[in-house]
Amino acid sequence: MIIGLAACECIIYDAHSLKEKRAVLQRIISRLKQKYNISVSEVDYQDVWQRTKIAIVAVSSAKKYTELELDNALKYIDSFPEIERTITDIEWL
């Protein structure tokens, strides 16, 4: 069993309040959960308007499947024009 964790810091340039930031994040997180077999959560910068850190976790029997699922989820985040992924750290457990 392989567990993959991708922690990515992101910037939401057009968020001018926590309410706007959370609206963007909720949409992205809910779509990620619907589309991929992963767990997703905001793990840092909850009280900052334009910055966030999202953790994505995937589990499977082989590293290549876990890696594929995480890569697809990260590419999906990149497809949203309102958010920019900056720093991404991937860990294997």
Side-chain angles (χ1 to χ4, degrees), residues 36-49:
Y36 301 103
N37 188 18
I38 56 173
S39 292
V40 187
S41 181
E42 181 183 23
V43 295
D44 204 356
Y45 308 113
Q46 284 95 339
D47 294 331
V48 181
W49 293 358

Side-chain angles (χ1 to χ4, degrees), residues 47-61:
D47 294 331
V48 181
W49 293 358
Q50 295 183 328
R51 192 169 178 196
T52 189
K53 188 170 189 177
I54 301 170
I56 303 167
V57 178
V59 180
S60 74
S61 59

Side-chain angles (χ1 to χ4, degrees), residues 34-91:
Q34 289 171 357
K35 193 169 176 82
Y36 301 103
N37 188 18
I38 56 173
S39 292
V40 187
S41 181
E42 181 183 23
V43 295
D44 204 356
Y45 308 113
Q46 284 95 339
D47 294 331
V48 181
W49 293 358
Q50 295 183 328
R51 192 169 178 196
T52 189
K53 188 170 189 177
I54 301 170
I56 303 167
V57 178
V59 180
S60 74
S61 59
K63 184 177 179 181
K64 69 178 182 177
Y65 299 120
T66 305
E67 194 170 23
L68 181 64
E69 201 74 6
L70 290 177
D71 285 344
N72 287 336
L74 293 173
K75 287 177 188 170
Y76 192 66
I77 291 172
D78 292 341
S79 73
F80 288 89
E82 60 266 47
I83 193 167
E84 179 184 342
R85 187 165 52 96
T86 55
I87 300 168
T88 302
D89 296 317
I90 297 178
E91 295 181 35

Side-chain angles (χ1 to χ4, degrees), residues 10-25 48-52 82-83:
C10 301
I11 299 171
I12 305 169
Y13 291 107
D14 293 334
H16 301 292
S17 68
L18 287 175
K19 187 176 182 179
E20 290 178 10
K21 172 192 170 182
R22 290 194 178 112
V24 170
L25 273 180
V48 181
W49 293 358
Q50 295 183 328
R51 192 169 178 196
T52 189
E82 60 266 47
I83 193 167

